[in-house]
Amino acid sequence: MEKGCRSRIHAEPYERMSPPANPSASSEPPERANGLPTRRTTGIGITLTAVRRFFKTGVEAIAPLDLAIEAGAFVAFLGPSGCGKSTLLRLIAGLDQPNEGSITFPGGPAKRALAFVFQDPHLLPWRRVLENAALPLELTGIGKPERTERALAVLEEVGLADAAQRFPRELSGGMRMRVSLARALVTEPDLLLLDEPFAALDELTRRHLDDQLRALWQKRGMTVLFVTHTLSEASYLAERAIVFSKRPARIVADRRLTLPAERNFSIRSTPAFLAEEQALYEALVRGEGA
Amino acid sequence: MRDSLERVLAPLGALVLFLGAWEGLTRGLAVPSYLVPPPSAVLTAAASEASLLLVGAITTGRAALIGFALSAVLGVLLAILLAASRLIERALYPYTVFLQTVPVVAIAPLLVVWFGPGLRAVAVSAFIVSVFPVIANTLAGLRSVDPALRDLFRLYTASRWARLFKLELPSAIPELVTGLRVASGLAVIGTIVGEFVAGFSEGSPGLGIVVLSSYRQLRTDLLFAAVLTASGLGLALFASVNLLGTLLLRRWHASELQP
Ligand SMILES: Nc1ncnc2c1ncn2[C@@H]1O[C@H](COP(=O)(O)OP(=O)(O)OP(=O)(O)O)[C@@H](O)[C@H]1O
Ligand SMILES: [Mg+2]
């Protein structure tokens, strides 16, 4: 499964910045020095400067927060429930505005494409899978033949080509989540935000989707921010894990995970993996008591 | 199979029992026919006045359909307008409630003044009685769109129109169908009430007129037949709306999945 990232079968007409996995590229961010293959990224960097968010109710969700995320990174966000992770993701997506501070995207393309995956699939129940996956392209005014072709390609990538003509209610929970993932990927986003995307799924399906997500990231190279409550999922997926304290969210730990790039189930029992998991756990406990 | 058979036979059995008891009681106690006619007398009256009832059903049905169609179209448009902004909703919604509370019998004479007696005034009366549930339910549907989907549409900077036609209206269809179901029954009631005041008594009289004239002649059996015909009309309209709703929602709405 971990080698299962299929190559795309059609010529991509919107090859904004094609991400060929190019092992000889030299522009390698320093934090990926730990034995990872280098590659060109299409992702965008994010810089948060003294970002603060409080609500009319008096709840302060984000204390002044500084954070820099490099282009093409896979970052996991961890933290106690209600600490402000979803709020942070919404701020970065532009769905919510900070009261203070600024969020900038240095070095990104002029027209940023970003995508958001929610905890639940949130599909349009009256549309077939194909039309659901094509929705973002439809909303941005791309013609029907092209969006159908691209949606089919991305459904193929998440292994749902056979289900294209079905309605969401005819799918299992895991399949629906994959449609949701396909919908997010169809615009070839530079930044992919996922808010506990697989939390409602069973362990097997979740691991399967984790593998698919990681393979897609390795192939495409977009920046990924991934909120999760599962420590092993964070260690398995991410290259960097940021642990927040309880509300208002402050950074308790910011770890570069020293794990090999190729991840499969056998990595979960290695000492290095268990050490990362333990370190994240300790940070969470520290943040809970902070 | 057995379950669906029971579903048909059980209410039918109840009906037969009820009619039998009614027939027996009116005959046994010798209740005068102008007070409560036995079912057999109602049936005889219906048969002998079949053409009168048929013409009545057509006249009333047409007015009810026009009123119902007006309610469906204008109700949805009004709901869209109200949903467009909180300010518009605050300004106008109280007056749509007024539509529901206005006693239509009292303003029916006014409708005759404005629209002339006959079909138009009657259809407007049906419209006034039946439009509110369409507005209220559609508005509720438009307002209850999944917030995550709203975010999604915002993320891709969807236009106002795309939001309305690709998100809000489709999301509101279950509530809209509920509103139409209620409106279908009310439209027939509004038509009969409208006919009491504004219907023609010559030409092709509606069922409301038949009710009035049989009441004046103390022909209670015909009155019963006319009332039953009117109920049948309402039922037919309701069933059509139900069918439409099932067809529209078959694919996706959870409430339609439960038997
Ligand atoms: N629109 C809002 N108005 C008022 N308070 C809000 C709003 N959105 C979030 N909050 C509050 O901000 C805090 C952080 O919420 P947020 O959803 O970001 O937490 P979270 O870290 O995602 O939690 P979880 O892990 O349970 O999803 C919570 O206390 C929440 O009640
Ligand atoms: Mg959250």
Side-chain angles (χ1 to χ4, degrees):
Chain A
M1 227 334 105
E2 52 283 353
K3 289 236 162 60
C5 60
R6 282 169 231 172
S7 60
R8 305 192 56 180
I9 41 165
H10 72 298
E12 175 54 71
Y14 269 59
E15 204 83 320
R16 249 192 328 243
M17 8 180 183
S18 154
N22 184 355
S24 64
S26 58
S27 61
E28 178 193 351
E31 51 275 5
R32 279 209 220 96
N34 44 26
L36 291 174
T38 51
R39 57 188 171 71
R40 296 249 300 277
T41 71
T42 61
I44 49 172
I46 310 161
T47 307
L48 285 83
T49 317
V51 168
R52 196 165 165 230
R53 182 74 177 110
F54 46 85
F55 296 104
K56 286 195 208 91
T57 52
V59 170
E60 185 176 27
I62 315 275
L65 180 75
D66 291 296
L67 179 62
I69 286 159
E70 63 277 19
F74 198 131
V75 183
F77 285 172
L78 292 152
S81 183
C83 77
K85 303 179 296 294
S86 297
T87 306
L88 184 61
L89 234 53
R90 291 174 54 80
L91 288 171
I92 293 171
L95 292 170
D96 189 14
Q97 304 305 318
N99 300 93
E100 294 167 18
S102 67
I103 299 173
T104 54
F105 301 90
K111 203 175 177 313
R112 295 185 303 271
L114 48 88
F116 206 110
V117 179
F118 309 93
Q119 177 166 354
D120 299 305
H122 294 289
L123 304 175
L124 302 179
W126 55 87
R127 285 184 170 224
R128 292 172 194 278
V129 165
L130 180 65
E131 296 155 342
N132 263 293
L135 178 73
L137 300 176
E138 189 179 332
L139 294 179
T140 44
I142 287 171
K144 183 149 190 178
E146 186 188 335
R147 66 175 189 249
T148 305
E149 190 187 3
R150 288 174 63 178
L152 274 175
V154 78
L155 284 172
E156 173 98 16
E157 267 186 307
V158 299
L160 273 184
D162 297 340
Q165 294 304 323
R166 293 213 239 158
F167 281 89
R169 77 165 182 84
E170 300 164 350
L171 306 179
S172 71
M175 290 166 92
R176 277 183 218 154
M177 204 61 231
R178 282 191 289 183
V179 179
S180 189
L181 194 59
R183 179 179 65 189
L185 291 168
V186 77
T187 56
E188 308 217 307
D190 310 297
L191 172 59
L192 180 60
L193 305 162
L194 304 103
D195 194 351
E196 302 181 43
F198 311 140
L201 304 176
D202 65 280
E203 180 74 17
L204 211 62
T205 311
R206 186 173 71 213
R207 286 194 186 189
H208 190 78
L209 286 178
D210 282 347
D211 285 333
Q212 272 184 340
L213 178 63
R214 175 122 182 138
L216 283 161
W217 169 72
Q218 282 181 318
K219 191 169 78 174
R220 293 190 174 197
M222 66 284 192
T223 310
V224 179
L225 303 186
F226 189 96
V227 173
T228 177
H229 281 292
T230 313
L231 296 171
S232 62
E233 190 179 34
S235 329
Y236 186 73
L237 281 175
E239 292 178 292
R240 178 181 174 192
I242 297 174
V243 182
F244 292 99
S245 68
K246 69 178 191 219
R247 211 181 66 220
R250 290 174 211 280
I251 296 175
V252 189
D254 183 353
R255 292 183 63 84
R256 314 271 169 190
L257 305 186
T258 48
L259 294 171
E262 280 308 323
R263 306 207 179 157
N264 55 50
F265 70 93
S266 64
I267 199 181
R268 292 176 189 267
S269 52
T270 60
F273 187 88
L274 295 173
E276 290 295 353
E277 219 181 305
Q278 181 65 20
L280 292 178
Y281 175 73
E282 281 163 14
L284 260 181
V285 172
R286 270 206 310 283
E288 194 64 277
Chain B
M1 187 59 219
R2 184 182 182 150
D3 187 60
S4 63
L5 205 66
E6 198 175 284
R7 215 178 270 268
V8 177
L9 288 183
L12 225 58
L15 184 70
V16 168
L17 277 179
F18 174 72
L19 291 178
W22 179 357
E23 184 85 35
L25 279 175
T26 44
R27 282 178 193 277
L29 302 174
V31 182
S33 180
Y34 68 87
L35 269 185
V36 182
S40 57
V42 174
L43 207 69
T44 319
S48 65
E49 301 285 359
S51 69
L52 182 71
L53 288 174
L54 185 67
V55 169
I58 290 171
T59 309
T60 301
R62 192 172 50 181
L65 262 183
I66 294 172
F68 175 73
L70 279 175
S71 284
V73 173
L74 295 180
V76 170
L77 287 178
L78 254 162
I80 291 172
L81 184 71
L82 292 177
S85 91
R86 278 276 170 210
L87 185 67
I88 296 179
E89 187 185 351
R90 293 221 168 103
L92 296 184
Y93 194 70
Y95 303 104
T96 65
V97 179
F98 177 73
L99 273 176
Q100 191 192 27
T101 54
V102 63
V104 76
V105 193
I107 65 156
L110 200 60
L111 298 180
V112 178
V113 174
W114 285 343
F115 301 100
L119 179 65
R120 273 195 285 175
V122 173
V124 170
S125 156
F127 162 74
I128 290 175
V129 172
S130 63
V131 73
F132 181 77
V134 180
I135 299 176
N137 281 287
T138 309
L139 187 61
L142 292 172
R143 285 248 179 265
S144 65
V145 174
D146 178 354
L149 286 175
R150 281 192 188 282
D151 280 348
L152 193 78
F153 273 63
R154 254 175 74 205
L155 203 62
Y156 296 111
T157 56
S159 66
R160 185 83 194 75
W161 291 115
R163 212 165 71 216
L164 180 64
F165 286 110
K166 294 180 178 173
L167 179 62
E168 290 167 348
L169 278 177
S171 299
I173 283 179
E175 283 88 350
L176 170 62
V177 170
T178 304
L180 291 179
R181 275 191 194 124
V182 180
S184 64
L186 289 178
V188 175
I189 295 174
T191 306
I192 301 287
V193 172
E195 283 173 345
F196 280 180
V197 180
F200 284 124
S201 44
E202 62 271 356
S204 40
L207 291 172
I209 301 295
V210 176
V211 167
L212 273 189
S213 64
S214 44
Y215 155 71
R216 290 200 185 106
Q217 301 161 28
L218 274 187
R219 289 207 50 195
T220 317
D221 48 357
L222 183 57
L223 194 153
F224 264 82
V227 168
L228 284 176
T229 311
S231 314
L233 262 182
L235 217 62
L237 196 54
F238 180 86
S240 323
V241 172
N242 234 1
L243 185 69
L244 179 83
T246 313
L247 287 179
L248 274 175
L249 300 176
R250 182 178 41 173
R251 273 342 239 284
W252 59 275
H253 190 240
S255 80
E256 293 294 316
L257 302 183
Q258 270 86 53

